[in-house]
């Protein structure tokens, strides 16, 4: 009888053991939760019914968990116990808002804003053009900096969130956008149907938004620009090698000196649709010193606090104020997050960049020149690792705030993981 009982209970014991093991595996797969809340800053109340998604950065932005905000704007997301980096995304009125969630994160708080097609308080701070010319081609990298000071704060979002004008015959090589405190993402402007007029379908959230576009044109030794602006700009800046000549065509542009072998010309307070024609002639490449400085200051351009070390950018002369003081880190820092932008462009445009054409985005040039090798994923990965080491060094030296460090590190971690994943594929 005892033997018979043992034969019956043994399978039950196995079932219990298997269930226990399965339960333990499930618990280990989602070992912790991220709890958080979402606040609608337009009305300063909890945001109800927004979709909240947890994204795994190590697997190409794969969705790991999903939830909705409750009546208090709160949510809970189970986190896979994979030790990886994650990103929390909240969608409010069709606009996405993000918050990095490094390993060990248990709580996050996100702010969202109501969206409208046109928002009062969106203005242009700077339009910075940087160019070089050689071998029958002129290459231009253009950075637009917008400021959204709407009150109450709202996000401007439509099929024409921000419109630009490109020269006739321009061929776009790369285009990116970055919201306030966010990492750059690929965002190509689309034709509006009007000649040489394009628009970004990208949200302009409260705070500072940057758009960067690289393009090239046929060049026969001189070129005339007749840009049209659809947003008023505080400053329009043109930078070119000293071996090239600039003709402002009017008194709107004034020389602002030179930096790292680049001549700088500035026009202030440019209203909408004001004719601001100018021409350039001659040939020249962006000096090596300026390119090297870009790579070294990439993390500064990403949003960290600039320092005042010698050679760190356009310094303020002792005699007179520097009109470009507010922009020196964008200009010398490679017009925005050089390493991250360069890596994203290369990894997403492999056929183009493998051949390293002259038309490659100027944002990528510093990374290529600094590593001294062709722009392969291997060299990019090594360069990004070096940048990560530099970031850690600056944090230990107290040269970067904790919030800026977390932001820059999350962006670099994401890019490195994507590079590794693509290399394995």
């Amino acid at each position: 009888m005892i033997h018979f009982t043992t034969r019956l209970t043994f399978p039950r014991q196995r079932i219990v053991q298997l269930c226990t093991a399965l339960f333990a595996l499930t618990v280990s797969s989602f070992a912790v939760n991220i709890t958080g809340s979402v606040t609608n800053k337009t009305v300063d109340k909890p945001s109800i019914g927004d979709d909240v998604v947890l994204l795994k950065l190590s697997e190409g932005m794969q969705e790991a968990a999903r939830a909705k905000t409750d009546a208090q704007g709160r949510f809970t997301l189970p986190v896979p116990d994979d030790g990886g980096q994650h990103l929390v995304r909240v969608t409010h009125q069709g606009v996405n808002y993000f918050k990095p969630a490094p390993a060990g994160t248990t709580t996050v708080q996100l702010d969202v804003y109501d969206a409208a097609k046109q928002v009062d308080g969106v203005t242009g701070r700077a339009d910075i053009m940087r160019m070089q010319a050689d071998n029958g081609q002129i290459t231009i990298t253009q950075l637009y900096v917008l400021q959204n000071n709407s009150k109450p704060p709202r996000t401007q979002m439509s099929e024409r969130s921000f419109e630009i004008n490109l020269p006739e015959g321009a061929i776009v090589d790369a285009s990116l956008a970055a919201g306030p405190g966010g990492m750059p993402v690929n965002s190509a402007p689309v034709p509006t149907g009007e000649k040489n007029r394009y628009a970004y379908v990208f949200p302009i959230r409260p705070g500072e938004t940057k758009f960067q576009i690289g393009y090239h044109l046929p060049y026969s030794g001189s070129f005339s620009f007749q840009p049209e602006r659809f947003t008023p700009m505080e400053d329009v800046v043109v930078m070119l090698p000293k071996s090239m000549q600039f003709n402002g065509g009017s008194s709107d542009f004034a020389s602002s000196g030179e930096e790292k072998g680049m001549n700088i010309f500035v026009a202030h307070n440019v209203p909408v649709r004001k004719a601001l024609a100018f021409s350039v002639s001659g040939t020249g490449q962006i000096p090596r010193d300026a390119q090297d400085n870009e790579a070294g200051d990439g993390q500064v351009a990403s949003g960290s606090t600039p320092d005042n070390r010698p050679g760190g950018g356009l310094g303020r002369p002792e005699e007179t104020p520097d009109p470009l003081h507010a922009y020196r880190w964008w200009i010398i820092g490679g017009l925005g997050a050089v390493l991250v932008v360069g890596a994203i462009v290369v990894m997403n445009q492999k056929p183009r960049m493998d051949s390293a054409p002259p038309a490659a985005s100027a944002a990528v040039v510093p990374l290529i020149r600094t590593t001294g090798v062709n722009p392969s994923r291997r060299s990019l990965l090594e360069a990004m690792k070096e940048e990560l080491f530099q970031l850690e060094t600056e944090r230990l030296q107290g040269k970067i705030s904790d919030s800026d460090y977390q932001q820059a590190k999350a962006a670099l971690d994401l890019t490195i993981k994507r590079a590794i994943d693509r290399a394995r594929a």
Side-chain angles (χ1 to χ4, degrees):
M1 186 66 176
I2 295 176
H3 178 68
F4 179 69
T5 302
T6 302
R7 288 173 62 89
L8 285 177
T9 57
F10 179 74
R12 294 175 184 171
Q13 292 172 345
R14 290 291 296 164
I15 292 172
V16 171
Q17 291 172 353
L18 289 172
C19 290
T20 302
L22 181 61
F23 176 76
L25 180 61
T26 303
V27 171
S28 65
S29 296
F30 289 90
V32 297
N33 290 333
I34 289 180
T35 59
S37 61
V38 181
T39 302
N40 183 340
K41 299 300 286 187
T42 301
V43 295
D44 207 22
K45 293 181 179 179
S47 193
I48 303 170
D50 287 344
D51 288 322
V52 186
V53 176
L54 184 69
L55 300 170
K56 293 180 67 173
L57 301 186
S58 60
E59 298 184 10
M61 303 288 279
Q62 179 182 354
E63 181 178 322
R66 176 181 288 268
K68 272 187 178 292
T69 55
D70 61 16
Q72 287 74 44
R74 296 190 297 253
F75 63 89
T76 300
L77 293 167
V79 182
D81 188 18
D82 54 10
Q85 301 287 330
H86 298 87
L87 194 68
V88 178
R89 183 186 71 200
V90 175
T91 304
H92 178 77
Q93 294 188 357
V95 179
N96 293 326
Y97 300 83
F98 299 90
K99 178 76 75 172
T105 300
T106 57
T107 60
V108 295
Q109 199 282 326
L110 296 98
D111 295 333
V112 299
Y113 305 87
D114 288 344
K117 289 186 176 182
Q118 194 69 35
V119 172
D120 291 334
V122 176
T123 58
R125 294 191 63 190
D127 175 356
I128 303 171
M129 299 179 67
R130 207 170 88 142
M131 58 188 71
Q132 60 183 6
D134 202 3
N135 298 322
Q137 181 172 282
I138 186 168
T139 304
I140 300 154
T141 300
Q142 193 159 1
L143 171 73
Y144 304 93
V145 183
L146 305 183
Q147 186 72 32
N148 181 345
N149 289 327
S150 54
K151 295 181 180 180
R154 298 177 186 271
T155 295
Q156 181 167 296
M157 179 62 182
S158 72
E159 66 279 359
R160 292 190 175 192
S161 293
F162 177 59
E163 296 183 71
I164 64 172
N165 174 268
L166 294 180
E168 180 74 26
I171 299 174
V172 176
D173 303 307
S175 181
L176 303 106
M183 65 172 289
V185 296
N186 285 312
S187 181
V190 297
T192 63
E194 301 177 48
K195 186 177 181 181
N196 301 327
R197 189 167 176 173
Y198 299 80
Y200 282 94
V201 186
F202 187 86
I204 302 175
R205 306 175 181 90
E208 188 178 85
T209 298
K210 300 186 185 79
F211 297 92
Q212 180 174 290
I213 184 167
Y215 55 93
H216 67 277
L217 297 154
Y219 186 70
S220 58
S222 64
F223 194 89
S224 296
F225 294 86
Q226 295 180 324
E228 186 176 8
R229 287 167 183 84
F230 310 105
T231 302
M233 285 288 168
E234 291 181 15
D235 292 292
V236 175
V237 183
V238 178
M239 300 180 65
L240 67 165
K242 295 179 70 174
S243 58
M244 295 180 66
Q245 292 76 50
F246 177 87
N247 183 357
S250 70
S251 60
D252 291 310
F253 280 101
S255 173
S256 189
E258 63 94 16
E259 178 72 21
K260 301 290 184 181
M262 300 282 286
N263 283 331
I264 303 171
F265 302 88
V266 185
H268 299 294
N269 301 319
V270 181
V272 174
R273 294 184 180 275
K274 177 178 175 59
L276 202 62
F278 66 92
S279 62
V280 299
S281 59
T283 60
Q285 296 291 317
I286 296 173
R288 177 66 177 269
D289 287 347
Q291 294 171 357
D292 290 345
N293 205 54
E294 289 171 0
D297 290 335
Q299 72 273 16
V300 176
S302 301
S304 61
T305 303
D307 60 27
N308 295 316
R309 67 189 185 276
L314 294 178
R316 184 184 294 275
E318 294 181 2
E319 300 84 1
T320 57
D322 181 0
L324 292 181
H325 179 76
Y327 312 127
R328 71 179 188 267
W329 295 107
W330 300 330
I331 296 171
I332 301 301
L335 310 185
V338 173
L339 290 177
V340 177
V341 170
I344 293 173
V345 171
V346 172
M347 288 189 294
N348 287 288
Q349 299 188 10
K350 182 176 184 295
R352 174 178 294 165
M353 294 305 300
D354 280 350
S355 58
S361 171
V364 184
V365 172
L367 186 58
I368 298 172
R369 295 289 179 88
T370 303
T371 57
V373 295
N374 289 331
S376 65
R377 289 192 178 94
R378 186 185 188 97
S379 63
L380 280 169
L381 189 58
E382 291 303 317
M384 285 184 288
K385 287 179 179 178
E386 291 178 9
E387 177 66 11
L388 192 58
F389 175 81
Q390 180 65 27
L391 187 65
E392 294 289 349
T393 301
E394 292 195 357
R395 181 176 71 92
L396 293 174
Q397 294 174 345
K399 293 182 178 180
I400 183 171
S401 68
D402 287 339
S403 60
D404 289 334
Y405 165 79
Q406 292 293 342
Q407 232 172 52
K409 187 174 184 301
L412 283 168
D413 284 347
L414 168 59
T415 310
I416 290 171
K417 288 179 181 294
R418 291 185 64 186
I420 293 173
D421 291 342
R422 289 175 182 270
R424 290 173 177 172

